[in-house]
Amino acid sequence: MADLLSLSSFLFSIITFFFFYFLSVHGDNSTQSSITQINYDLYHSRNLMDEIKEMVHRHSDRLSMEKVKAGNKGYSAEIAVVTYCKGKKDSAENPKLRILLSFGQHGRELITSELAFRIMSILSEEKHLPGMDEASLNSILDKVVIKVVPMENINGRKLVEGGDLCERRNGRGVDLNRNWSVDWGKKEKDYDPYEENPGIAPFSEPESQIMRKLAVSFEPHIWVNVHSGMEALFMPYDHKNTTPDGLPLQQMKSLLEEVNQLHCQKRCMIGSGGGSVGYFAHGTATDFMYDVVRVPMAFTFEIYGDVTAPSSDCFKMFNPTDLASYNSVLDDWSAAFFTIFKLGPHQLGEIQSKASVVKLDKLVSIDEYLDGYLMERRNRYGKKIEVLELGMQEIRAYYRLFLLSSVLLLCMFCSRISKTKCSRPIVSAISL
C-alpha cells in the first residue's frame, strides 16, 4: 500500500511538472505573439543612415553630412548631422533663419526617424509636398539653414532592433532627455529609474555632449525635439508648470496654434511640457535650449501615440503599424514642419523688433563656453577652428588659474599704487 501511494505521488509530481512547463512555454509564446514586432516592410532599420548618406551624395549642391564622435569611460557614440542650405550661404551679409531638428532621441520611437527621412526627401526634391507649389517652397527654403539629426540615439536603436522594443535609453542605460543641465537629477515621487535614468552627471553621455556642442556653435533660432507617444506641441518648460513670459510666449503659442489647426485638426495638446503631460521632466534638451542656448523658439513635438495599446506593446504604442496610419503621420507632420519653415521668420521678426531677443549674445557658463566653443569644429559660416587637443578638465583648470592670477596681480598693482601715494611727503600749500 505504501509503495502504491509513493508511485501515485511520483506520477502526480511528474504530471504537475509537465503541466506547468507546458503552460509556461505556451503562455510565453502567447504573450510574445501579442506584442507587435517591427514591420520592416514599413520601417527602415539602422540602414536608414546609409540611405541618407546616399541622398546627400546625390544632392551635394544643397545637402551635406558630417559625423561627430564622442566617448568617455569606455562608451562611445556617433551622430550624423545633415545640413540643408540652398543658394547663398548663411553669412553676416546674408543672414538666414537657422533651424535645428532632432529625431530618434529615444530608441523605441522609430517613426520620428522616418519623419526625418521624409523631410530630407522633400528638401532634396525627391518627394513633393502635397498642396504647395514649387516656387513657393523654393522661396521659403532660400531663407533657411536647417540642421537635421535623423537618429540621435543610434546605440539605443540597436537595442530596440535586437528585440528590446521598450528601450528608450542609450547604449548604457541613460535617458538622453534627462541628461541636460537645467534642473538635472531631480526625481519626482513617481520616478522610474528604468525610464528616466538621468546619468551620473549632466552631460555624462557622449550623445548629449555632441548635441550641446552642435547647438552652441550653430546658434539656432528654432529648435524642435521630435518624439512619439502622444500628439502634442510643447513649448518650455518641462521641469515646471509654467511657460515663458511676454512676447516669446505669445509668438510660440501663435505658431503652435497655427500648426495645430492646419495639420493636427486641433487635436494636439498645446502648452508647456510640465503643465500638460501630468508629470515634470527634469534635465530635458528643450529646457536647456531655451534657458541656456537662448533659442528664441524651442519646442518638443509628439507626433503619434496609440492610447489603446497595452503598456507592454511598446512598438504599437509609439509607432503606427499599418500603411495608412504610417503615411498619414508622415504626410501631416512633414507638412507641419514646412509650415514652421514658412511662418518662423515672421514670428521671429516680431520678437526681434519688439523684444530684441533674437540676437543671441547669450550668457553661458565657462563650462558651456569651453565645451561648446573651444573644440575643433566649423562655425556657422564654415570657417575651421583649430584648438589644442587638451582634456576639458585641464582647459578649465588652466583658465581658472589664469583668472585667479590676473585678479591677484591686479590687487598687488593697486596695493603698490596705494602705498606709493601714502609715502609721498606732504607739501604745505601755505608759504612759511
Side-chain angles (χ1 to χ4, degrees), residues 60 122 127 135 161 179 231 249 257 307 330 381 413:
S60 57
I122 297 170
K127 287 188 178 293
E161 292 183 17
N179 192 232
E231 290 182 301
L249 168 62
E257 286 174 345
V307 296
L330 297 187
Y381 301 139
F413 180 71

Side-chain angles (χ1 to χ4, degrees), residues 5-17:
L5 287 173
S6 298
L7 180 61
S8 299
S9 177
F10 175 74
L11 290 174
F12 178 77
S13 300
I14 293 294
I15 292 169
T16 302
F17 170 78

Side-chain angles (χ1 to χ4, degrees), residues 1-120:
M1 186 69 180
D3 291 341
L4 184 61
L5 287 173
S6 298
L7 180 61
S8 299
S9 177
F10 175 74
L11 290 174
F12 178 77
S13 300
I14 293 294
I15 292 169
T16 302
F17 170 78
F18 279 106
F19 172 76
F20 282 107
Y21 175 77
F22 177 85
L23 188 64
S24 66
V25 169
H26 285 268
D28 288 345
N29 289 340
S30 174
T31 302
Q32 186 70 18
S33 64
S34 67
I35 294 177
T36 308
Q37 302 298 309
I38 300 174
N39 180 359
Y40 287 111
D41 291 333
L42 287 180
Y43 289 87
H44 296 83
S45 65
R46 295 188 308 279
N47 66 13
L48 173 65
M49 300 310 303
D50 295 329
E51 292 196 33
I52 291 172
K53 183 178 180 181
E54 292 170 4
M55 180 192 296
V56 170
H57 181 72
R58 291 193 298 270
H59 303 280
S60 57
D61 61 321
R62 67 191 70 186
L63 295 176
S64 61
M65 185 169 79
E66 62 177 329
K67 293 185 177 181
V68 187
K69 296 181 180 180
N72 65 4
K73 297 184 178 179
Y75 176 75
S76 61
E78 179 180 86
I79 291 179
V81 183
V82 178
T83 302
Y84 172 87
C85 185
K86 187 178 181 181
K88 292 182 179 179
K89 300 296 184 182
D90 181 35
S91 66
E93 296 75 27
N94 182 47
K96 294 192 175 189
L97 181 72
R98 297 185 298 277
I99 301 169
L100 179 57
L101 310 176
S102 176
F103 304 83
Q105 190 179 47
H106 289 150
R108 65 192 179 190
E109 299 165 12
L110 278 69
I111 188 62
T112 66
S113 293
E114 299 292 321
L115 177 59
F117 186 62
R118 174 65 65 88
I119 290 171
M120 286 185 285

Side-chain angles (χ1 to χ4, degrees), residues 89-368:
K89 300 296 184 182
D90 181 35
S91 66
E93 296 75 27
N94 182 47
K96 294 192 175 189
L97 181 72
R98 297 185 298 277
I99 301 169
L100 179 57
L101 310 176
S102 176
F103 304 83
Q105 190 179 47
H106 289 150
R108 65 192 179 190
E109 299 165 12
L110 278 69
I111 188 62
T112 66
S113 293
E114 299 292 321
L115 177 59
F117 186 62
R118 174 65 65 88
I119 290 171
M120 286 185 285
S121 298
I122 297 170
L123 290 172
S124 65
E125 298 183 11
E126 292 190 359
K127 287 188 178 293
H128 297 284
L129 194 64
M132 181 173 287
D133 65 279
E134 189 172 331
S136 176
L137 182 61
N138 288 334
S139 175
I140 294 169
L141 296 180
D142 282 340
K143 301 171 184 175
V144 300
V145 178
I146 305 167
K147 285 189 180 289
V148 180
V149 176
M151 197 180 295
E152 181 181 329
N153 182 11
I154 196 166
N155 291 336
R157 176 68 176 261
K158 290 177 184 177
L159 296 175
V160 172
E161 292 183 17
D164 193 352
L165 298 175
C166 289
E167 184 59 80
R168 63 182 258 150
R169 305 167 300 172
N170 73 349
R172 63 175 172 192
V174 174
D175 183 349
L176 296 178
N177 207 28
R178 301 293 185 273
N179 192 232
W180 298 69
S181 61
V182 175
D183 212 42
W184 175 86
K186 187 174 180 180
K187 298 176 176 62
E188 299 293 328
K189 292 180 180 178
D190 59 351
Y191 167 73
D192 181 351
Y194 179 83
E195 289 279 298
E196 298 183 274
N197 176 16
I200 60 173
F203 302 109
S204 62
E205 303 311 296
E207 297 93 342
S208 304
Q209 295 167 13
I210 293 169
M211 291 301 298
R212 173 180 56 178
K213 293 165 190 172
L214 173 62
V216 171
S217 62
F218 183 51
E219 297 182 335
H221 298 107
I222 296 176
W223 152 267
V224 187
N225 193 10
V226 184
H227 288 270
S228 62
M230 61 191 304
E231 290 182 301
L233 302 162
F234 292 138
M235 65 184 83
Y237 290 97
D238 296 322
H239 71 280
K240 55 186 177 181
N241 186 15
T242 60
T243 54
D245 297 324
L247 189 64
L249 168 62
Q250 296 171 24
Q251 297 306 112
M252 283 192 282
K253 189 175 181 181
S254 174
L255 181 59
L256 295 184
E257 286 174 345
E258 187 79 9
V259 170
N260 194 24
Q261 181 173 348
L262 292 175
H263 307 291
C264 247
Q265 292 73 52
K266 297 186 177 180
R267 68 178 181 270
C268 287
M269 189 183 303
I270 293 180
S272 71
S276 302
V277 298
Y279 64 87
F280 295 149
H282 306 277
T284 67
T286 294
D287 283 358
F288 180 87
M289 294 296 175
Y290 189 77
D291 263 5
V292 179
V293 185
R294 305 292 186 188
V295 178
M297 306 185 83
F299 304 116
T300 300
F301 287 0
E302 297 271 355
I303 64 171
Y304 176 82
D306 186 345
V307 296
T308 67
S311 59
S312 59
D313 195 356
C314 290
F315 184 78
K316 185 179 180 184
M317 182 183 295
F318 293 97
N319 306 280
T321 56
D322 62 272
L323 180 61
S325 299
Y326 174 89
N327 284 330
S328 176
V329 169
L330 297 187
D331 289 343
D332 289 344
W333 285 97
S334 58
F337 273 92
F338 281 87
T339 294
I340 290 172
F341 302 159
K342 178 182 178 180
L343 298 179
H346 171 71
Q347 303 283 21
L348 220 50
E350 290 277 328
I351 299 176
Q352 186 174 24
S353 61
K354 295 182 181 179
S356 300
V357 298
V358 173
K359 186 178 180 183
L360 296 178
D361 294 334
K362 51 193 173 292
L363 296 174
V364 298
S365 70
I366 182 59
D367 287 353
E368 303 298 345

